[in-house]
């Protein structure tokens, strides 16, 4: 094995999860042997950016391994730089990995060069495209790289729709510093609130949305005070997307006796969280690996997943909703899936006219 730098391999997770399924069933006195797919997940499931996404992706890889004749291993970069990510991928490839699964821009920087050099390796990259890391060059997706992004506007739509159908009309949305994914989520939230208001026969302007953003990576007392002020001014429910907002919103809602909907699917949430509407990374990982196995996953381009593909969903907490039901959720999700409801990812908050809701408190906390 080439010495390309250290890589931390996490305990039992690194022990090869080799689970024999259909490939070991007897058939007419013989055994059917399927080629073993060797999958490596390169990421950090314990700390850092994309922590929850990493947890869910690893769960999906593990689920796939239980179904098929596959091996799965975790490789954790030794540092937070691009070189650490690249070294971890190279070590995984040296040890026989045929598929590398990863998430985020840093991993996209590492994939940028490797996808050309390691042409026999397949890369599955979530929430990013391969770039050179300079911030100047354009992304390049080669044929052995499968980039996956999600219709976050659909997740936001579900959150806004559910909030209004539950009976809330004074809403808040806090996103992560105008980042693209959080902007699309917030846009969907406004459209979902508007759609539910129309179905319920609420008049124009009956729904008020306090809309703001804070940097995802940091929080400070002024940001907390701003959100607390929303609740003091009558905000009944806040929806949050982004690591900073996820820390501020639910806790502020808890203290004020209000409610929250999060984009984060983490189960360890305050009691104020009545639902999580976000990305189903677990199912997305399983789906990508299934398609690689069948040869139907398209490389060289961005694969977009939404409700129809199982990439977006809502989890309701026990007793979280009193009026919005599972049946209503399935109905609206079905309308999004079949195209009856059309949702734009454009920033509707920047020009809210014609969207049937009152947008106020637009803040950009830098």
């Amino acid at each position: 094995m080439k010495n390309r730098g250290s890589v931390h391999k996490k305990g039992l997770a690194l022990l090869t999860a080799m689970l024999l399924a259909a490939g070991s069933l007897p058939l007419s006195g013989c055994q059917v042997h399927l080629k073993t797919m060797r999958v490596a997940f390169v990421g950090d499931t314990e700390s850092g950016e994309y922590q929850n996404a990493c947890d869910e992706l690893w769960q999906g890889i593990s689920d796939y391994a239980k179904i098929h004749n596959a091996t799965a291993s975790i490789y954790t970069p030794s540092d937070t730089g691009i070189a650490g990510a690249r070294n971890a991928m190279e070590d995984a490839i040296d040890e026989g990995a045929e598929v590398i699964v990863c998430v985020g821009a840093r991993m996209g920087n590492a994939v940028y060069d490797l996808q050309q050099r390691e042409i026999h390796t397949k890369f599955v990259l979530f929430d990013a495209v391969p770039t050179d890391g300079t911030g100047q060059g354009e992304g390049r997706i080669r044929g052995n790289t499968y980039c996956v992004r999600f219709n976050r506007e659909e997740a936001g739509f579900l959150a806004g729709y559910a909030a209004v159908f539950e009976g809330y009309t004074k809403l808040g949305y806090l996103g992560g510093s105008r980042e693209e994914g959080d902007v699309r989520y917030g846009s969907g939230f406004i459209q979902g609130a508007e759609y539910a208001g129309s179905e319920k026969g609420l008049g124009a302007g009956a729904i008020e949305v306090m809309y703001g953003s804070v940097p995802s990576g940091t929080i400070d007392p002024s940001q907390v005070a701003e959100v607390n002020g929303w609740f003091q001014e009558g905000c009944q429910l806040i929806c949050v997307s982004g690591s900073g907002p996820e820390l501020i919103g639910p806790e502020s809602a808890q203290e004020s006796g209000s409610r929250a909907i999060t984009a984060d699917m983490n189960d360890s949430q305050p009691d104020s969280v009545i639902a999580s509407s976000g990305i189903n990374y677990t199912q997305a990982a399983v789906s990508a690996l299934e398609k690689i196995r069948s040869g139907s996953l398209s490389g060289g381009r961005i694969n977009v997943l939404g409700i129809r593909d199982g990439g977006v969903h809502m989890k309701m907490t026990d007793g979280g909703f009193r009026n919005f039901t599972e049946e209503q959720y399935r109905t609206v999700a079905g309308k999004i899936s079949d195209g009856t409801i059309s949702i734009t990812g454009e920033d509707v908050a920047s020009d809210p006219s014609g969207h049937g809701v009152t947008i106020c408190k637009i803040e950009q906390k830098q």
Side-chain angles (χ1 to χ4, degrees):
M1 182 181 72
K2 302 174 185 176
N3 183 12
R4 286 166 161 159
S6 63
V7 58
H8 299 297
K9 301 176 180 179
K10 185 166 56 176
L12 291 177
L14 183 65
L15 293 178
T16 300
M18 186 169 185
L19 301 112
L20 300 179
S24 61
L25 294 177
L27 180 64
S28 301
C30 301
Q31 286 187 324
V32 179
H33 294 285
L34 297 179
K35 182 181 181 296
T36 298
M37 182 188 293
R38 299 180 64 86
V39 183
F41 176 66
V42 179
D44 187 350
T45 59
E46 292 182 346
S47 63
E49 192 177 14
Y50 293 105
Q51 176 183 348
N52 293 324
C54 285
D55 290 337
E56 294 178 35
L57 287 171
W58 174 244
Q59 181 62 57
I61 293 168
S62 300
D63 290 347
Y64 174 86
K66 292 175 183 177
I67 299 170
H68 299 289
N69 187 31
T71 67
S73 304
I74 291 179
Y75 291 75
T76 302
S78 58
D79 58 55
T80 59
I82 298 172
R86 186 184 298 112
N87 288 340
M89 293 181 188
E90 289 174 333
D91 283 350
I93 294 168
D94 284 346
E95 294 177 8
E98 300 160 294
V99 180
I100 303 289
V101 179
C102 52
V103 58
R106 177 168 65 109
M107 297 299 168
N109 297 153
V111 169
Y112 183 79
D113 291 325
L114 288 178
Q115 64 180 342
Q116 181 177 11
R117 192 172 72 217
E118 306 288 352
I119 60 174
H120 298 297
T121 303
K122 293 179 173 60
F123 297 89
V124 182
L125 174 61
F126 289 90
D127 290 333
V129 297
T131 59
D132 62 8
T134 65
Q136 304 298 320
E138 296 182 358
R140 176 177 294 178
I141 311 171
R142 296 189 177 273
N144 57 327
T145 297
Y146 308 86
C147 291
V148 181
R149 79 165 182 85
F150 300 92
N151 279 330
R152 281 179 163 78
E153 56 269 32
E154 293 184 358
F157 187 100
L158 291 175
Y161 184 91
V164 172
F165 242 99
E166 180 64 10
Y168 300 111
T169 56
K170 293 186 180 298
L171 312 174
Y173 173 73
L174 192 65
S177 193
R178 311 301 289 164
E179 294 172 5
E180 180 187 0
D182 296 329
V183 168
R184 288 192 284 116
Y185 193 105
S187 177
F189 182 76
I190 292 170
Q191 294 170 78
E194 174 197 17
Y195 196 94
S198 176
E199 286 192 339
K200 294 186 70 173
L202 301 182
I207 301 167
E208 180 179 312
V209 179
M210 299 179 181
Y211 192 104
S213 59
V214 300
S216 285
T218 60
I219 58 175
D220 63 48
S222 68
Q223 296 163 359
V224 176
E226 178 71 28
V227 175
N228 287 341
W230 288 8
F231 290 113
Q232 292 169 7
E233 294 175 27
C235 179
Q236 301 164 312
L237 177 144
I238 190 169
C239 180
V240 292
S241 173
S243 58
E246 296 279 357
L247 293 173
I248 299 172
E251 293 296 338
S252 294
Q254 182 93 331
E255 293 174 4
S256 68
S258 302
R259 296 291 179 263
I261 295 177
T262 71
D264 190 348
M265 309 304 286
N266 183 5
D267 291 330
S268 58
Q269 300 275 18
D271 293 338
S272 61
V273 175
I274 61 175
S276 296
S277 183
I279 306 308
N280 191 349
Y281 285 102
T282 297
Q283 178 56 41
V286 173
S287 176
L289 294 174
E290 292 274 12
K291 289 179 180 179
I292 287 176
R293 182 173 182 266
S294 66
S296 61
L297 186 62
S298 299
R301 66 180 181 88
I302 297 175
N303 297 266
V304 182
L305 303 183
I307 290 174
R308 181 174 57 186
D309 314 285
V312 171
H313 69 156
M314 172 179 277
K315 290 197 303 186
M316 305 181 191
T317 63
D318 292 338
F321 288 113
R322 295 180 180 178
N323 302 317
F324 184 64
T325 66
E326 286 279 357
E327 181 179 357
Q328 288 172 321
Y329 166 62
R330 288 193 294 270
T331 298
V332 70
K335 289 180 179 179
I336 295 171
S337 180
D338 66 19
T340 301
I341 295 176
S342 178
I343 308 167
T344 179
E346 297 298 321
D347 186 8
V348 301
S350 63
D351 183 16
S353 60
H355 284 281
V357 299
T358 298
I359 308 296
C360 61
K361 295 284 185 184
I362 295 183
E363 305 281 349
Q364 292 191 40
K365 300 290 188 180
Q366 300 298 337

